[in-house]
Amino acid sequence: MTLSHTDFSYVSTLVRREASIVLAPGKEYLVEARLIPVARAVGAAGVADFLADLQRRPNKLNERKIVDALTTNETSWFRDREPFTALTDVVLPELVKSRASQRKLRVWSAASSSGQEAYSLAITMQEHLPPGWSYDIMGSDISTEMIKRAEAAEYSQVEVNRGLPAAQLVQYFERAGAHWRIMPALRRNVSFKLMNLTAPLPSMPPFDVIFLRNVLIYFDVATKKNVLRNVARLLRPDGWLFLGAAETTIGIDDNYERVAAGRTSAYRIRTAAPVGAARRG
């Protein structure tokens, strides 16, 4: 049984209002599949009954559960690899030179899901910054459940098998029953914050590197413009922005320019692009 038009309209309107995610017609099966566990958890007979009751008696907690369930949380360690290679081969060497007097970097994983990207960034900093340097990694996500998971810093065997080299598993994790837990020495450099990227962002110190990957694809053009504008305010003038492979600022926000970064590309504030940077758009 698929969702009725009324129920799908209710859910899509809710998710659009709370997370600016667009659910186009044709996603009814996906929505129902994601909401079955939510309906069961609250004791409803099924998704239709759960949504009918919620529309009769609005409940902020259950509305939040719907948003969490429909937020895509696909992630893995060192996902897509090339942005991390660009970080070690291109970005960090430049930042080490330009931040020599500070010897500290701030990095934002702007859609960190259950934390794998943020901890992958921490491992990268740990292994490639010179001795005496420090770093802060901040992960953010719109899902309360994902933030809790990221803060717990525990992962199943299946999860650590997705992209995490064995040597780094041994070095940065410890056994926690049937799971693996990030060791405190790495964990103390990483924090997480519940954040809706489409809402006004909280006041934060600027970042040297921002990973905003595989997020913009879920937004309409107006929302993409708003997110990129807000992110630009938190990116240092000579900082680096990494988007997903299917995402771009081109035709959306002219304040950025795309530059080559190894075998991939990154984005920088146009007025601060380095002399000699290879332009790709």
Side-chain angles (χ1 to χ4, degrees):
M1 180 180 178
T2 57
L3 290 182
S4 68
H5 174 75
T6 299
D7 285 346
F8 181 75
S9 177
Y10 166 74
V11 172
S12 59
T13 299
L14 171 65
V15 174
R16 179 68 176 263
R17 183 182 73 238
E18 297 296 325
S20 298
I21 294 174
V22 178
L23 290 174
K27 299 287 187 179
E28 289 85 354
Y29 177 80
L30 169 67
V31 169
E32 185 170 34
R34 292 282 184 91
L35 294 186
I36 287 173
V38 179
R40 288 174 178 166
V42 301
V47 174
D49 289 340
F50 169 58
L51 294 176
D53 183 64
L54 193 55
Q55 290 174 77
R56 286 195 302 270
R57 297 180 298 176
N59 179 302
K60 287 295 183 183
L61 179 59
N62 285 342
E63 288 177 356
R64 184 71 247 178
K65 290 178 180 177
I66 290 176
V67 174
D68 282 0
L70 292 171
T71 302
T72 300
N73 293 303
E74 172 62 24
T75 189
S76 60
W77 302 93
F78 300 96
R79 186 180 180 186
D80 302 328
R81 188 56 73 167
E82 286 303 332
F84 291 92
T85 301
L87 195 60
T88 59
D89 294 352
V90 179
V91 175
L92 289 184
E94 179 181 305
L95 289 175
V96 165
K97 292 179 181 178
S98 62
R99 306 288 190 271
S101 62
Q102 303 165 26
R103 298 164 71 87
K104 182 174 183 177
L105 296 179
R106 282 177 49 79
V107 183
W108 180 16
S109 171
S112 57
S113 186
S114 47
Q116 284 92 325
E117 181 177 84
Y119 291 121
S120 295
L121 288 166
I123 291 172
T124 302
M125 297 294 134
Q126 195 77 22
E127 296 186 344
H128 294 277
L129 283 179
W133 281 67
S134 62
Y135 63 89
D136 289 327
I137 309 290
M138 190 191 79
S140 67
D141 202 86
I142 194 173
S143 168
T144 52
E145 182 62 31
M146 289 300 105
I147 292 295
K148 289 178 183 177
R149 287 214 55 216
E151 290 178 333
E154 288 190 12
Y155 300 93
S156 68
Q157 187 67 54
V158 171
E159 288 172 321
V160 298
N161 284 346
R162 297 194 63 200
L164 185 66
Q168 290 168 328
L169 174 62
V170 172
Q171 184 172 357
Y172 298 108
F173 291 72
E174 58 188 359
R175 274 289 188 182
H179 290 72
W180 292 91
R181 181 188 298 125
I182 300 282
M183 288 185 177
L186 188 71
R187 176 68 181 86
R188 65 171 174 248
N189 297 300
V190 186
S191 62
F192 293 93
K193 184 185 292 288
L194 185 68
M195 194 180 302
N196 183 347
L197 295 173
T198 67
L201 299 181
S203 177
M204 296 181 284
F207 295 91
D208 301 289
V209 180
I210 298 177
F211 271 42
L212 179 69
R213 301 195 301 147
N214 306 306
V215 180
L216 297 180
I217 53 175
Y218 297 104
F219 302 146
D220 59 26
V221 173
T223 304
K224 290 176 183 179
K225 288 182 177 180
N226 181 55
V227 171
L228 287 170
R229 183 170 57 249
N230 289 339
V231 166
R233 298 190 184 106
L234 291 169
L235 184 64
R236 292 188 67 169
D238 60 344
W240 298 75
L241 171 67
F242 284 88
L243 301 179
E247 299 169 322
T248 184
T249 67
I250 297 172
I252 301 173
D253 190 331
D254 292 336
N255 290 316
Y256 295 89
E257 68 172 353
R258 186 167 63 179
V259 299
R263 295 170 57 183
T264 187
S265 59
Y267 297 83
R268 311 192 77 175
I269 302 301
R270 187 172 293 277
T271 56
V275 176
R279 298 192 178 199
R280 299 180 60 181

